[in-house]
Amino acid sequence: MKIELVYARAARELEQASVVLPEGMTAKEALRAAGWVSRFPEIEAGELSLSVWGRRVSGHTALRDGDRLELCRPLRVDPKVARRERFVAQGARGSGLFASRRPGSKAGY
């Protein structure tokens, strides 16, 4: 079976490889067979999570032909918190759908 391995070590830094593996291999076994465990020590440290086509999986998940196994770094900031902080920094009148209103009009129109 053919598997695509993808890992973004940092922003704009992508490692990608296509490997041919025997049927029934798990995600962890595929990483070992491809040599990525020795190449990227953070895999064994447990800092990364695994996903197949964007859906989180465990290391014991059996892979199928054509799967794209992704190594995901942890988020540095919660997306909801980051959005809230951006909104506060921009100000309520400086962003959003109703940022520019006609003089004398009601809010939201």
Side-chain angles (χ1 to χ4, degrees), residues 11-65:
R12 296 180 188 87
E13 189 178 325
L14 183 70
E15 299 286 336
Q16 194 169 2
S18 293
V19 293
V20 177
L21 302 169
E23 285 288 326
M25 288 196 90
T26 65
K28 283 281 189 183
E29 290 171 347
L31 292 172
R32 281 194 184 88
W36 280 34
V37 173
S38 60
R39 189 170 163 198
F40 305 114
E42 55 267 26
I43 294 172
E44 278 296 314
E47 299 169 5
L48 305 173
S49 60
L50 300 171
S51 65
V52 174
W53 292 109
R55 292 184 177 247
R56 183 175 247 164
V57 296
S58 72
H60 305 292
T61 303
L63 298 174
R64 294 182 284 176
D65 187 37

Side-chain angles (χ1 to χ4, degrees), residues 58-84:
S58 72
H60 305 292
T61 303
L63 298 174
R64 294 182 284 176
D65 187 37
D67 277 350
R68 174 186 164 113
L69 181 61
E70 303 158 352
L71 298 167
C72 306
R73 292 177 284 140
L75 295 175
R76 287 192 268 156
V77 179
D78 181 21
K80 290 181 182 178
V81 172
R83 182 179 182 280
R84 229 177 267 127

Side-chain angles (χ1 to χ4, degrees), residues 84 86-101:
R84 229 177 267 127
R86 278 194 313 272
F87 185 77
V88 168
Q90 291 172 345
R93 296 182 188 255
S95 66
L97 181 61
F98 305 111
S100 57
R101 327 186 295 202

